[in-house]
Amino acid sequence: MRYDKCVIFDLDGTLTRSEQGIWNSVRYVAEQLHLPVPDAPTLRKFIGPPLDYSFQTWMGMTPEQADEATRIYRARYQEVGLFENRVYPGIRRLLRGLKAQGCWVGVATGKPQGPSERIIEHFGLAPFVDRIVGPTVKMGAEKDALIRKALPGEYGEAWMVGDRKFDVEGGRAVGIRTLGVGYGYGSEEELRAAGCDAYAATVQDVIDLFCPEYKADGAFLSMEGLDGSGKTTQMGLLTEALDCWGFEVVTSREPGGCKVAEAIRGVVLSRENVGMTDVTEALLYAAARAQHVREVIRPAIAAGKVLLCDRFVDSSVAYQGGGRELGVQWVLDINTPAVDGTLPLATVYLDIGHRESLRRRAAATELDRLEMEGDSFHARTEAAYRELIARDPQRFIVVDATRSPETIGQEIADRVLARLMEAGL
Ligand code: TYD
């Protein structure tokens, strides 16, 4: 099959940044060999040159010590370091845009073939990449040979995109166009001196060059749970995981998230407003939401971002519908014009049960007006959450939130990422 347009990417410094894994592995070597841990500027020099050279030059090792160090480094890097990697923000949007145009996408990297495939698979980029080529026992690391192999049999316009002069030189040797990117490990001077046809300082510049018309839809995610379920911690961990995968994440919260809604938040949560009627409270939450949906949530989704919201309409249904006994359906009804069809693709429910919620709240000192409610309130709130989950099992990701934060965070990340990928993101 002939491809009218092909783009071949370098991996490190172009699609992903790998310095954390490299630095952590060098630190590990130093600890294992009881040597001083190199400082940050020294660690930075390890990106690029061969390892035994770096160990000898920057850590004063003999060739024998450097061999041993390289062995220790590789063992750790293959198990752990490989995944201490990040996809540059916007890369997913770029790759989706290229695939939407029917473009061939290849990867030609100096990192060995096996680990390169594992990274691309691990970070969920495999659906966007047609071929990955890295050095193998049979094949050397010459960039032009790697690039040639990453191209399809027949093609029209083809580009090599990379952050170092080797990428530009390799692309030129193959006779295709070259784009130097300035957000990786090389510099504009290096790339221009190597003769790149075009230069892009940011991932957005690459998108503007290759797929300026592409409008990527983003996604809306929410996180729910009873008070004390660990939502703040898990919001942070999920944001970090999404960021590592190259999603452009925006976080927000309800009630609040924008000026008008934050002002309403102040009113509903203030301990002074004990006289507020339940209906007033429910309408205020819905009013805040109406503003937040239009001012924050929809624009973020339209811009291709992943909007992760700390609580959404389910909280109203659970707290006001269940807790305040206004009824699940009544709360859904008053929220219909507020939400106006904008519902999360997935909602994480941190499951702790109302007894655990009570136990955790009892340990906290500063409680807001809703947190001060008694246990039967939270029992009803939990029951309404369960009803929502039963009504919409596809949307909810229910996780046992009584385990360690890391274990919970890992499960959430895996399940949310799977859901985003199912949705083609
Ligand atoms: P939250 O900001 O999650 O509080 P915290 O970070 O202290 O856990 O939520 C504040 C309170 O608002 C919480 O008790 C739940 C309540 N709430 C509702 O009752 N209805 C709603 O629609 C929303 C969004 C929140």
Side-chain angles (χ1 to χ4, degrees), residues 78-291:
Q78 277 163 19
E79 283 307 309
V80 195
L82 206 56
F83 305 118
E84 291 168 332
N85 217 309
R86 306 181 84 91
V87 178
Y88 286 103
I91 286 295
R92 300 188 85 85
R93 196 154 49 86
L94 165 64
L95 296 180
R96 281 169 70 198
L98 290 172
K99 290 319 286 177
Q101 288 175 5
C103 181
W104 168 278
V105 175
V107 171
T109 167
K111 202 188 252 329
Q113 174 90 23
S116 300
E117 286 173 357
R118 286 170 68 199
I119 289 174
I120 287 169
E121 184 64 41
H122 178 86
F123 287 93
L125 298 179
F128 310 114
V129 179
D130 296 292
R131 189 177 293 160
I132 303 163
V133 181
T136 58
V137 255
K138 281 196 239 122
M139 185 167 186
E142 285 77 31
K143 203 81 197 205
D144 54 337
L146 297 167
I147 297 168
R148 214 168 272 125
K149 206 173 158 203
L151 283 160
E154 281 181 62
Y155 54 87
E157 180 188 341
W159 286 83
M160 174 64 203
V161 182
D163 68 314
R164 300 302 305 269
K165 66 175 184 184
F166 316 103
D167 303 313
V168 174
E169 288 163 0
R172 290 177 52 140
V174 175
I176 62 176
R177 305 180 78 181
T178 56
L179 171 67
V181 295
Y183 55 81
Y185 301 113
S187 65
E188 180 171 358
E189 300 79 73
E190 171 183 329
L191 293 160
R192 294 235 188 251
C196 61
D197 295 298
Y199 171 79
T202 64
V203 176
Q204 187 58 52
D205 290 344
V206 184
I207 295 174
D208 291 342
L209 178 74
F210 288 144
C211 29
E213 306 294 328
Y214 182 62
K215 288 276 165 282
D217 256 352
F220 176 20
L221 304 172
S222 63
M223 195 172 294
E224 297 280 350
L226 295 175
D227 296 301
S229 56
K231 226 165 14 67
T232 308
T233 306
Q234 293 306 330
M235 281 287 296
L237 292 176
L238 181 55
T239 305
E240 164 66 9
L242 289 166
D243 206 53
C244 277
W245 285 57
F247 290 102
E248 296 154 285
V249 199
V250 179
T251 55
S252 195
R253 67 167 182 184
E254 287 210 347
C258 56
K259 197 156 172 262
V260 169
E262 286 290 335
I264 298 174
R265 178 187 178 96
V267 175
V268 252
L269 296 183
S270 165
R271 282 162 156 247
E272 286 177 13
N273 293 333
V274 275
M276 186 183 297
T277 75
D278 296 346
V279 173
T280 310
E281 180 184 280
L283 290 168
L284 284 175
Y285 278 121
R289 183 162 300 125
Q291 189 71 26

Side-chain angles (χ1 to χ4, degrees), residues 227 231-232 254-255 265 269 281 285 289 310-312 315-316 319-320 368 370-371:
D227 296 301
K231 226 165 14 67
T232 308
E254 287 210 347
R265 178 187 178 96
L269 296 183
E281 180 184 280
Y285 278 121
R289 183 162 300 125
D310 183 343
R311 299 194 181 280
F312 191 60
S315 282
S316 280
Y319 283 81
Q320 282 67 52
D368 67 34
L370 276 97
E371 286 170 334

Side-chain angles (χ1 to χ4, degrees), residues 281-314:
E281 180 184 280
L283 290 168
L284 284 175
Y285 278 121
R289 183 162 300 125
Q291 189 71 26
H292 187 222
V293 163
R294 286 156 184 82
E295 198 176 316
V296 178
I297 299 179
R298 283 186 187 154
I301 300 171
K305 310 262 158 83
V306 170
L307 188 291
L308 172 59
C309 196
D310 183 343
R311 299 194 181 280
F312 191 60
V313 66
D314 302 311

Side-chain angles (χ1 to χ4, degrees), residues 57-70:
T57 316
W58 319 121
M59 289 173 74
M61 292 188 192
T62 64
E64 294 73 38
Q65 283 172 324
D67 275 352
E68 170 71 354
T70 304

